[in-house]
Structure formats: structure tokens, C-alpha cells
Amino acid sequence: MADDKALTTREADFSAWYNEIVQRAELADYSPVRGSMIIRPYGYGIWENMQRALDDMFKATGHQNAYFPLFIPLSFITREAEHVEGFAKEMALVTHTRLIKDADGTLVPDPASKLDEPLVVRPTSETIIYDAFSRWVQSYRDLPLLINQWANVVRWEMRTRMFLRTSEFLWQEGHTAHATEAEAEEEATRMLGVYREFQDDWLALGVITGVKSPAEKFPGADRTYSLEALMQDNKALQCGTSHMLGQNFARQFDLKFQAESGQEEYAWNTSWGVSTRMVGGVVMTHGDDSGLVLPPRVAPIQVVIVPIYRKDEERTLVLEKAEFVANALRAERVRVHIDARDSMKPGPKYYEWERKGVPMRIEIGPRDVAAQKVMTVMRTEWTGGDRKEAMDETAAITVIPKRLEDYQRFLLKRSIERREAASHRGIDDYDAMRTIIEGDGGFVYSGWCGSEDCERKVKDELKATIRVLPSEEFRSPDQPQQCVVCGGASQAEAVWARAY
RNA sequence: CGGGACGUAGCGCAGCCCGGUAGCGCACCUGAAUGGGGUUCAGGGGGUCGCGGGUUCAAAUCCCGCCGUCCCGACCA
């Protein structure tokens, strides 16, 4: 494996730094098809840990998993006007089902096999799911219907970046139907809360939440709630969305039920999703110039043990101790890996595992075995103690799981501190906003009159958008009174930033 | 699709200007020593030089065409 020492630094070129980490931490690889990516085992392991945690949370809130088809009739997509318009420019279509040899012997689509109606490769599944729901729901007793699916989706992108924007990506999409608007609204905000908890507790991403402006909302939704994180280059990353769909899809797909009153009514829907993009968010939030930094809860390997020895006798002795410590930690549900590769010296192993973001390393050498100690080293400097610490080997078994949790909390705290340090509140002057956006970047909190023209102007001139109209928790103590763009009366506080 | 750069071994590159049959570093394989923060020595394997055509005795190198990738702009989880 080629491995030319140091990474490009974040300072020198954040984008190059990111690309190098993705490659060199073996998260993903390029594929022969532009815009699609191969997720390698280590990267997929992170995603699996995310999936497991989220799936448990979805089940705990009453949802069931199902699977809906990849192919959607084109006519379904076109039924909801705003929905088609939103996705029209990035749709992959299946139009033929056979190949045939032309005059030159080249394989081409067989004209005779052309489909009467093209099939869309799902960019999202609202249409096909609510069509199914319409057949499953007759009475208010069938509601609420709380479904989730884990799937891949395709949105044909012009410019792609590993994990952050690829033409195909993995995600989960929750889809629910409710008898009342209030219930649907409650569901949409509940799931926003679930994501928030997940991103805080598992990914250590200090996100802010809020509602999207009409221009930025999901096509077909009444309202879109979103979670936004700030990366180390001070650009925002949308980390998840939860949509209140109202009755828009229910009307188009005839999703009706008989209410308690006997009246026939359209159901109220929500949909919500998070994707493999979060892996990119974790990289850009926690990573440093030595490589990836993973929060312990989603790290495929939480502790790597590097045995140190010279002679064969030492090797046997040290590996035996390593196995013992590893098994004791595994009994505490710590994910441990012993790097017993004989062809590599300890130093290079340290660099490799640091590059891959493993939260803690344990070094065990002959001297440690004799003293019944182990040397622990955290991935980064942190506030919970010294980075390197010799521990009594029995104490280590109980201390390490706690230490990993402490480290997890440290990462969240650091992420929130960085976010707040790059958040500029009470900006009521357009030039001041310009200076920030065109300078160091970050979140700009301002007043907004609610007009799309003002929003458009900022997007055109500064390439920044309203990330969210923040939830109460994130609003500034002193609410701005005027729109930062036009000076008109402010309707709501807005958070602006350049975004991925 | 507009502007720019680049395609030579797994990765990073040199060679091209001035044509002579492919090289360096890392990685990989074998052996020995080494081993608490990027080890050393010896030996070795691996390349349709992006693709197609042209010029030439001879093309990685010169000419024409195509394809692809990356970066910058317009769309986006």
C-alpha cells in the first residue's frame, strides 16, 4: 500500500486533505463510473455502526423496516408537481431491457425492447411508498403507519465528492402516515429529535436544528426540518432532514382513510432521512492533520493493541498478554484489534492506526508484561487526561470503557466549541455579513424579512444560503429586528453559511 | 455544458522540447538482521506509456482526432 508519510494539511488545502483521508484511511475508493464510489470495509464498518444505532432508535419509536422497489414508474414521479420539478434535473432512467448487436457488432440497446414507460431509479421513495400506503390504509385504525427503509438512491450529480455528494448513496428513509396534521407534525419533529440525539451522542457532531426556508425545503413538502453541522473549514453540512409533507402526496396517491367521524379524509405524511454523507461529516468535523479521528461509538475499532518485541520469546509473551487484555476488554463490549503483523515495526503501525482514527492505542512490550502494566495512548490530545498513560493492566479493563465514553463526550464538546467560535450572532449589516462569509466563513445569524428575493441575492452574490431558521434552543438572546439584506422588518432569525 | 490542468508500474513522479525500444521514490515478493514513533542490507516481480490514426527505418517523445480524470463556474442529501 502506497503510503507517502504526511497528509496535506487542513490549512494548506482542506479539500485535498479530505480526499486524502478518505483514500488513505481506506474509507472508500473511486469506481469506474464517475460519481459513484466504492465504500471499503473500514468505511462501511462506520456506516454499519451508524445503522445499528439509528435502527434501534427507529424501532424504539415504533417504526418497522420494509423494502420498496428501486424502480419507480416515471408517471409516479410526475404526479406531484413540485416533486418532479425538484428532481427532474438529476434523474437516472431505465428505458430498455435488452442489448442487441448493431451492424458493426457493437452492443446497443435493442429498440424493440424499449419500455412503454421509462422507469426512474429512485431519487427518493415518497411516490412509490405512498402509492402502497394507499392500498394498506382504509380506516383511522390503520394509522399511524410508521415505516422505514434502508436503501440506496440515485441523484445524478454534476460535481461529486466522496460521501458528501455522489450520484448513488446509501441512506434510510422513514415514511409515515397519520390521521391528523398535529400527529404528523409531532412525528416530523420527533424524528428531528432522534437525529439530533444520534448526532450528538454517536457522531459527536454539534449540530444546530431548525426549519428550512421555502426555497430550500424538500420538493413536495410543506416544511423541512434540518440538522446543520459546521465543518472545520467553516462550511455548513446538512446532516439530515425531516419533512412535514402535509397532504400533498396523499392527495396525489389517493391515500385516504375513513375517520372516526365516518368522514373520508386524506392522510398526513412525514418523511425523514440521513445518509452516508454523515461519514463525510465525521471526517471533516473531527479529523486532524494526522488523519481521521473517530468517535468511539461508531469506530469499527475502538482500541488497537500494538505488541512490542524483539525476540521470538518476547513475541510469544507479549502476544499472550495482548490476547488476554483484548479478551477482557471484549467482555466489556469494547471493539479491540491486535495488530500482530510481524513485517512492520511499531512506529509505522502507530501512524497507520492514527490515520485510521482509532480512538485509543495500547502498547504492550516486555517491560510492561513484567510490570503488569499497559501503555495507553489516546488518538488526540484531550481534556480528560494525559494523552499517554501507563495503566495497571487489571485497572485498565475497567478504566478503558469509561475513558472511551469520556473521549466521546470530549469530541462533542470540542465540536460545539468550534461551531460557536465560528458563529456570528446579531449581524444586521449586509457588508458585515459579506466580510464574514467571504473571509473565514461560519454561521451568520441575522434577521430575515422572509422574502425569496433577499435570499436569492445572498446566494448569487455571496454563495451562501439560509441553512435554517433556527429552533428555539439555538436562537440568539437578542432577536434581530431587521432583515440583513433589505433592512425590512425581520420575520425570523436566519442562519446563513456557505454549504457543501 | 463553459474556463484551466493532467493522463507513463498499486501510489507519487521523471523521461517528451532535441525520436533509438522505459526509469526513479514509495508500496509489493524472498532472505537476513532490526523492533518502546515512519529501520537496514541483499536479491526479485510488476508497465497495451489513456485510446485510435498519421509521419518515420524507428514514436512515451512529433502531428491529427477521440476518451477519461481532476480543479474552477451553473444544480444538489
Side-chain angles (χ1 to χ4, degrees), chain A residues 273-323:
Chain A
V274 291
S275 72
T276 40
R277 172 181 253 198
M278 292 187 295
V279 176
V282 166
V283 173
M284 291 194 294
T285 297
H286 302 302
D288 64 20
D289 292 343
S290 304
L292 194 58
V293 172
L294 289 174
R297 287 189 166 194
V298 292
I301 298 171
Q302 295 171 312
V303 173
V304 63
I305 300 180
V306 178
I308 291 151
Y309 51 83
R310 293 161 209 257
K311 312 181 189 81
D312 276 354
E313 314 85 78
E314 285 179 349
R315 183 172 191 275
T316 311
L317 189 72
V318 159
L319 280 177
E320 196 178 309
K321 181 63 72 180
E323 286 290 353

Side-chain angles (χ1 to χ4, degrees), chain A residues 7 58 73 163 226 303 330 382 403 434-435 442 490 494:
Chain A
L7 288 161
F58 298 156
F163 290 108
S226 170
V303 173
R330 284 174 189 138
W382 68 314
R403 179 126 323 179
R434 176 196 298 277
T435 305
S490 173

Side-chain angles (χ1 to χ4, degrees), chain A residues 58 61-66 68 128-148 173-180 183-184 187-188 190-191 245 255-257 267-272:
Chain A
F58 298 156
T61 42
H63 303 85
Q64 290 184 295
N65 284 332
F68 295 84
I128 200 156
I129 290 183
Y130 301 135
D131 172 67
F133 279 14
S134 74
R135 280 174 275 122
W136 299 348
V137 171
Q138 274 92 44
S139 144
Y140 71 95
R141 294 180 207 278
D142 299 324
L143 297 173
L145 189 49
L146 306 173
I147 297 295
N148 176 65
E173 47 181 324
H175 292 275
T176 67
H178 306 264
T180 67
E183 270 183 53
E187 168 77 2
R190 174 186 302 117
M191 298 321 289
L245 300 174
L255 171 48
K256 289 184 292 202
F257 67 98
W268 299 80
N269 296 113
T270 79
S271 68
W272 27 275

Side-chain angles (χ1 to χ4, degrees), chain A residues 26-29 37-45 47 163 170 276:
Chain A
E26 297 179 354
L27 298 181
D29 201 356
M37 67 188 285
I38 296 159
I39 304 177
R40 300 182 64 174
Y42 194 66
Y44 200 78
W47 176 239
F163 290 108
L170 305 184
T276 40

Side-chain angles (χ1 to χ4, degrees), chain A residues 204 402 404-414:
Chain A
K402 293 194 192 82
L404 290 171
E405 282 296 297
D406 289 346
Y407 186 68
Q408 174 88 29
R409 278 190 290 275
F410 160 76
L411 291 177
L412 173 63
K413 188 160 164 281
R414 187 175 70 169

Side-chain angles (χ1 to χ4, degrees), chain A residues 178-199:
Chain A
H178 306 264
T180 67
E181 180 174 14
E183 270 183 53
E185 177 64 27
E186 191 188 336
E187 168 77 2
T189 52
R190 174 186 302 117
M191 298 321 289
L192 182 77
V194 165
Y195 288 154
R196 164 80 192 285
E197 186 185 335
F198 170 71
Q199 289 170 4

Side-chain angles (χ1 to χ4, degrees), chain A residues 14-25:
Chain A
F14 193 80
S15 196
W17 168 82
Y18 176 82
N19 290 336
E20 284 176 29
I21 287 201
V22 168
Q23 290 281 316
R24 291 178 52 189

Side-chain angles (χ1 to χ4, degrees), chain A residues 368-429:
Chain A
D368 302 308
V369 175
Q372 299 194 308
K373 286 190 176 298
V374 295
M375 177 61 78
T376 66
V377 185
M378 301 307 292
R379 169 61 180 78
T380 65
E381 292 297 338
W382 68 314
T383 53
D386 290 339
R387 184 170 173 227
K388 294 195 182 190
E389 188 182 339
M391 285 186 204
D392 179 79
E393 79 183 26
T394 47
I397 308 307
T398 51
V399 171
I400 287 171
K402 293 194 192 82
R403 179 126 323 179
L404 290 171
E405 282 296 297
D406 289 346
Y407 186 68
Q408 174 88 29
R409 278 190 290 275
F410 160 76
L411 291 177
L412 173 63
K413 188 160 164 281
R414 187 175 70 169
S415 145
I416 292 171
E417 283 166 1
R418 279 181 178 155
R419 181 194 77 208
E420 285 308 304
S423 292
H424 307 270
R425 290 178 188 268
I427 303 300
D428 53 8
D429 173 72

